Amino acid sequence: MSRSFGDNLSKANERTLADVRRSVWTAGFKGMGYGVGTGFFIHTVLRLATRGKLRLPGNQKPITFDKNTAFFSVMAGGALGSFVNATTTGKNEVHQMHEIFEIGKHDHRTPYQEAYDNAKNEGEDSNSRKKRILSRRKTMSQRLSEQTGLSDSHGGVWINEEIQSEERTRRSARQVASAKRLGTE
């Protein structure tokens, strides 16, 4: 049973809620069964009536009724039937839940819950919160303007590609020079 209402529901209201849920779920499964049967029936009738191919106006390729379209018909019929039947049952059963809706309108928090919520709301005034937000925005914009990034990896300092390419060029020049010296000696 759902504890969304806490201990505020009487046993009769809990039973009513359970009955409505059960009837919606049961109707959904019944609707799925009816939808599967109806989808398969419609697929079979169309397949027999059109000799396996249905040509729609404007389409060059006809629709062939094979195992793929049968699967689609069964699944679509089941989904549609389940949705329609569960929704209809829910709308028909909602009149039984008016008393439960009235219970949900009122605040039934314990004194501890009220004190906790008040402390959570009062513990932080809006001015200090705004100051922290502005400080965080200033820090982020400063880091982005310096192009150091927002990550703390590598101390927030990233090596530019230009510096790396210059180092590679210098390194390769040194290697060429040392190879020439070794070759000429």
Side-chain angles (χ1 to χ4, degrees):
M1 178 58 61
S2 172
R3 289 284 121 207
S4 58
F5 289 107
D7 296 327
N8 300 324
L9 290 180
S10 65
K11 292 293 181 188
N13 287 339
E14 285 182 8
R15 181 173 299 286
T16 301
L17 186 61
D19 290 342
V20 169
R21 286 179 178 169
R22 188 177 310 111
S23 64
V24 168
W25 277 93
T26 305
F29 281 114
K30 285 181 185 175
M32 187 174 12
Y34 295 143
V36 164
T38 303
F40 185 73
F41 176 75
I42 289 173
H43 180 269
T44 304
V45 167
L46 284 175
R47 182 174 47 95
L48 293 175
T50 61
R51 294 189 180 108
K53 294 188 185 232
L54 176 65
R55 189 171 295 277
L56 296 175
N59 274 353
Q60 309 242 341
K61 186 177 178 184
I63 298 173
T64 58
F65 290 99
D66 55 1
K67 63 182 179 180
N68 290 335
T69 54
F71 182 73
F72 172 75
S73 300
V74 166
M75 296 302 281
L80 185 65
S82 175
F83 172 75
V84 167
N85 215 11
T87 303
T88 304
T89 301
K91 296 230 181 230
N92 289 339
E93 296 286 326
V94 75
H95 67 86
Q96 295 181 10
M97 297 184 60
H98 288 300
E99 188 177 333
I100 296 171
F101 292 147
E102 290 298 321
I103 291 172
K105 282 183 182 178
H106 307 294
D107 185 17
H108 292 288
R109 294 182 299 170
T110 63
Y112 173 76
Q113 290 171 333
E114 289 177 12
Y116 179 79
D117 290 340
N118 290 338
K120 189 166 66 171
N121 293 336
E122 293 173 2
E124 186 175 321
D125 63 335
S126 62
N127 289 334
S128 66
R129 187 168 184 271
K130 286 178 184 176
K131 285 179 185 177
R132 275 201 331 278
I133 290 172
L134 291 174
S135 171
R136 189 168 37 243
R137 285 183 185 163
K138 181 180 174 186
T139 304
M140 287 179 59
S141 65
Q142 181 182 5
R143 283 187 176 182
L144 289 174
S145 67
E146 294 172 357
Q147 296 179 349
T148 58
L150 297 175
S151 174
D152 285 336
S153 301
H154 309 287
V157 178
W158 299 95
I159 300 173
N160 286 337
E161 289 295 321
E162 295 172 9
I163 296 172
Q164 277 185 331
S165 65
E166 287 176 16
E167 287 180 11
R168 281 190 212 126
T169 306
R170 278 191 227 130
R171 191 177 310 128
S172 63
R174 281 190 299 238
Q175 289 172 349
V176 168
S178 64
K180 283 182 182 180
R181 276 186 296 211
L182 292 174
T184 58
E185 291 178 4

